[in-house]
Amino acid sequence: MDFTKLFTDPEYLLYGITLVLMIPVLLFGVIASIRVQTVFNKYNRVPCSSGVSAQGYVRAFLDSEGLTDVTLGAVRGSLTDNFNPTTKKISLSDSVRGSASVGAIGVACHEAGHAVQHARKYFFATARLKLVPVVNAISTLMWPIFIIGYVLGFASSYTAIGRIILLVGLIVMGGTLLFSLVTLPTEFDASRRAYKYLKPRMLPEEAVGVRKVLTAAAMTYVASFMMTALQFLRILAIFLMGRNKNR
């Protein structure tokens, strides 16, 4: 790479920026992942004064919103809790379901927040749901395309086939980036709904714990978005570098 072009060509500058930001973004992702586990583990050892389990809080939250048709189920693992809008079912993990801890209640009610979004047709949640099959399809295509390109030696941005592969990569990453983008407000809003419901029903210090758990979890989605955006910009820079080389 000709580093002098960093000061003359925008695409080389963009590529350089993505390289510089790669390590900080990776570190942010690792820290966010560690923090969500640390914060959850801390508040999962703090019992809620009400004595009501996470499952009990979720059921009460849903009923208060008139969502009696949303069912509760179980899923194995830790922090694998999820809401399935197709089946209208919230699955709570082993570490959350029967626990009456502040951490478990916060996590569980976050999923209830997603159920409320679905019922109220929250824009970003609806958009995210529609993007799921599209992202799944293009993600399935991404790795075979890149692997074939590298194996055959056509991945260079200076060849016609290489530019086609990179263009496909841009489309794939663009779809993934869009999905990650609409996920951010969806997750933050679900946490906001959960906190709004829980705050008046808990002691002040318990509500603080819930907020910390929800905030830590939200940062993992921020980290994911940042990494996806960085990868998209990196591929874009390589594509532009190859295109401009042939002008």
Side-chain angles (χ1 to χ4, degrees):
M1 179 177 175
D2 185 355
F3 290 99
T4 60
K5 292 186 177 183
L6 289 174
F7 306 100
T8 58
D9 297 348
E11 59 271 20
Y12 279 84
L13 177 60
L14 177 61
Y15 183 77
I17 290 173
T18 62
L19 288 181
V20 171
L21 292 179
M22 185 63 69
I23 292 179
V25 171
L26 280 172
L27 285 175
F28 179 75
V30 171
I31 292 171
S33 180
I34 293 174
R35 178 163 175 74
V36 71
Q37 287 288 344
T38 303
V39 174
F40 174 73
N41 289 339
K42 175 182 177 180
Y43 286 99
N44 200 34
R45 294 192 294 267
V46 178
C48 184
S49 57
S50 68
V52 178
S53 69
Q55 185 168 281
Y57 266 102
V58 168
R59 185 72 269 166
F61 185 7
L62 295 172
D63 291 346
S64 72
E65 295 286 343
L67 305 183
T68 55
D69 57 337
V70 177
T71 60
L72 302 180
V75 61
R76 300 191 65 170
S78 176
L79 296 180
T80 50
D81 312 83
N82 64 85
F83 167 65
N84 188 328
T86 303
T87 60
K88 293 186 178 181
K89 181 179 180 180
I90 293 176
S91 297
L92 300 177
S93 64
D94 298 333
S95 59
V96 168
R97 186 171 60 257
S99 174
S101 72
V102 170
I105 292 168
V107 169
C109 285
H110 172 86
E111 298 306 325
H114 282 308
V116 176
Q117 288 176 336
H118 178 69
R120 305 291 181 261
K121 301 187 184 306
Y122 178 64
F123 174 78
F124 290 106
T126 301
R128 184 177 184 274
L129 182 61
K130 290 181 178 179
L131 283 172
V132 168
V134 177
V135 171
N136 286 341
I138 61 179
S139 295
T140 301
L141 296 173
M142 179 173 67
W143 291 113
I145 289 171
F146 279 116
I147 290 173
I148 291 172
Y150 278 110
V151 168
L152 297 180
F154 293 143
S156 171
S157 60
Y158 301 138
T159 66
I161 296 178
R163 286 193 292 277
I164 292 174
I165 292 173
L166 286 170
L167 182 58
V168 172
L170 273 176
I171 295 172
V172 170
M173 288 304 299
T176 306
L177 180 60
L178 179 60
F179 180 79
S180 185
L181 180 61
V182 299
T183 293
L184 284 179
T186 301
E187 295 298 331
F188 276 99
D189 181 74
S191 292
R192 180 190 65 80
R193 293 172 190 266
Y195 183 70
K196 181 180 179 180
Y197 174 78
L198 292 172
K199 185 178 180 181
R201 294 169 175 81
M202 287 182 156
L203 297 176
E205 58 271 24
E206 294 171 347
V208 169
V210 166
R211 187 173 69 246
K212 288 182 178 179
V213 169
L214 295 175
T215 300
M219 288 302 102
T220 62
Y221 292 98
V222 174
S224 176
F225 170 75
M226 290 171 62
M227 179 54 67
T228 303
L230 199 59
Q231 293 290 1
F232 174 81
L233 292 174
R234 181 172 177 272
I235 296 174
L236 175 62
I238 295 173
F239 176 77
L240 294 175
M241 287 159 60
R243 187 190 64 176
N244 293 342
K245 179 80 173 180
N246 292 281
R247 285 184 175 178

